[in-house]
């Protein structure tokens, strides 16, 4: 989840794009693990009338232990 206190959600959309880029750039091989799959599930933008914007970007990552 990313947060933004702007008047409009424009900057939040950009931030959510950076999250998606970061997930796509994750290394597939990690110490003791291998990322088997990354599946985008959903994204959502919401705002509390008296609070900041909230942007949710949700993925399912499946990892396998490596010897």
């Amino acid at each position: 989840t990313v947060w933004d206190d702007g008047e409009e959600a424009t900057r939040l959309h950009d931030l959510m794009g950076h999250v998606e880029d970061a997930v796509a750039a994750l290394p597939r091989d990690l110490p003791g693990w291998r990322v088997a799959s990354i599946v985008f599930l959903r994204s959502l933008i919401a705002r509390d009338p008296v609070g900041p914007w909230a942007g949710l970007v949700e993925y399912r990552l499946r990892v396998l232990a490596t010897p």
Side-chain angles (χ1 to χ4, degrees), residues 1-13 15 44-48 50-56:
T1 304
V2 291
W3 301 90
D4 183 45
D5 216 5
E7 289 294 318
E8 298 180 7
T10 305
R11 186 169 55 181
L12 184 61
H13 280 282
L15 290 170
L44 170 75
I45 294 179
R47 184 176 191 186
D48 183 328
V50 295
W53 291 93
L56 171 73

Side-chain angles (χ1 to χ4, degrees), residues 51-63:
W53 291 93
L56 171 73
V57 184
E58 192 170 24
Y59 287 85
R60 179 180 59 232
L61 279 79
R62 293 189 182 185
V63 296

Side-chain angles (χ1 to χ4, degrees), residues 26-36 64 66:
L26 284 172
R28 299 292 192 217
D29 291 307
L30 303 166
W33 299 96
R34 168 97 176 127
V35 176
L64 302 171
T66 58

Side-chain angles (χ1 to χ4, degrees), residues 15-49:
L15 290 170
M16 291 171 70
H18 289 295
V19 169
E20 293 170 4
D21 293 342
V23 171
L26 284 172
R28 299 292 192 217
D29 291 307
L30 303 166
W33 299 96
R34 168 97 176 127
V35 176
S37 67
I38 300 174
V39 177
F40 172 80
L41 297 177
R42 64 182 167 178
S43 64
L44 170 75
I45 294 179
R47 184 176 191 186
D48 183 328

